[in-house]
Amino acid sequence: MEFTKIDLDTWTRKEVFNHFIEQKTTYSMTSNLSITKAVKFAKDNNYDFYPLFIYSIVRVINSNYLYRMDFNEQGELGYYDNSVPFYSIFDSRTELTSHIDTPDAYTFAEFDRDYLSDVKKYRGTGKLFPKQPVPKNVVNISMIPWINYTEFNLNNNSNGNYLLPTVTAGRFERTGSEIKLPVTFQIHHAVCDGYHTSQFFIKLQDILNNVDEL
């Protein structure tokens, strides 16, 4: 993992960043995405949808440095060269959720293999963060498969300086021949505007439409 520092004085987003970081402005946007082709691909190839969804998100996050912005330990602004998924797993016995990471892999088949190994090892531990150490270069991912929603917001104080993205999904719904999934993207306005959030959804939808190419 590499961290590239940004020279705020010459950065094109300097004015925007300074304004929204001072205002501590975060926001979330929810969009209903079609997962019809992705669900069929998962079913035909004996995959679960959740790891396919996680892998698709990471592909988008790694496509734009603005989705990977953070402050390093010295408080310097910059971005990671890549992000890894930090996702939730639910234990139905205890009704507790744990959060673990699985390093990105070259192909989805390789990621799915590692995902299954990590879930088997860490589910049911009763710990919030059972896999240590937790990497810094993460994209937070969770799913709430028990309910379909139209809007979701996660309040993360962190002095208003938390820049890493959070992606949440709900329960899918069938509408005719289409399967729709509510997906929420939450981010700090200092690093992403509405355009960049819209691009996140557009790129994610494109990947979900072409999962056979992963």
Side-chain angles (χ1 to χ4, degrees):
M1 175 192 71
E2 295 183 2
F3 185 83
T4 301
K5 291 187 292 185
I6 284 182
D7 183 354
L8 193 56
D9 289 333
T10 60
W11 193 30
T12 55
R13 285 187 63 84
K14 175 184 177 180
E15 183 180 7
V16 176
F17 179 85
N18 285 336
H19 174 76
F20 287 118
I21 203 72
E22 182 179 348
Q23 295 294 320
K24 304 184 187 303
T25 304
T26 63
Y27 70 93
S28 61
M29 183 185 295
T30 299
S31 180
N32 274 319
L33 299 184
S34 173
I35 59 170
T36 308
K37 294 181 180 179
V39 169
K40 184 179 186 304
F41 172 83
K43 183 177 180 180
D44 290 347
N45 293 278
N46 199 30
Y47 291 125
D48 289 334
F49 174 75
Y50 190 36
L52 180 61
F53 180 65
I54 293 171
Y55 187 80
S56 300
I57 289 170
V58 176
R59 300 270 74 71
V60 180
I61 295 300
N62 284 335
S63 71
N64 191 328
Y65 79 99
L66 292 176
Y67 304 141
R68 308 192 301 273
M69 299 286 296
D70 199 6
F71 292 102
N72 64 14
E73 294 179 350
Q74 290 72 44
E76 299 167 314
L77 179 67
Y79 58 93
Y80 301 110
D81 61 333
N82 66 79
S83 290
V84 298
F86 188 60
Y87 57 92
S88 62
I89 53 174
F90 183 72
D91 179 24
S92 58
R93 182 181 62 84
T94 62
E95 298 184 352
L96 292 175
T97 298
S98 299
H99 300 266
I100 62 174
D101 69 283
T102 297
D104 193 9
Y106 181 68
T107 67
F108 170 64
E110 292 171 327
F111 175 77
D112 184 70
R113 175 200 62 204
D114 297 339
Y115 162 89
L116 292 173
S117 176
D118 280 340
V119 170
K120 181 179 180 180
K121 183 176 181 179
Y122 295 108
R123 174 176 279 158
T125 61
K127 297 180 179 180
L128 184 59
F129 307 117
K131 187 178 181 181
Q132 294 290 329
V134 176
K136 296 183 181 299
N137 57 324
V138 302
V139 48
N140 303 283
I141 302 171
S142 63
M143 184 167 279
I144 310 172
W146 307 278
I147 189 167
N148 182 273
Y149 63 76
T150 57
E151 185 177 352
F152 179 83
N153 186 63
L154 183 69
N155 300 305
N156 188 333
N157 188 8
S158 298
N159 296 318
N161 292 331
Y162 192 80
L163 304 181
L164 297 173
T166 298
V167 182
T168 309
R171 187 181 69 190
F172 67 76
E173 280 195 345
R174 294 182 183 272
T175 305
S177 60
E178 282 288 302
I179 305 175
K180 295 282 191 174
L181 180 75
V183 179
T184 302
F185 182 76
Q186 183 148 329
I187 195 70
H188 204 298
H189 207 336
V191 296
C192 281
D193 303 321
Y195 170 79
H196 309 101
T197 297
S198 300
Q199 289 300 304
F200 168 83
F201 287 116
I202 291 170
K203 291 177 181 178
L204 181 57
Q205 183 64 82
D206 182 63
I207 291 173
L208 292 172
N209 285 343
N210 297 280
V211 288
D212 55 338
E213 299 177 6
L214 294 176

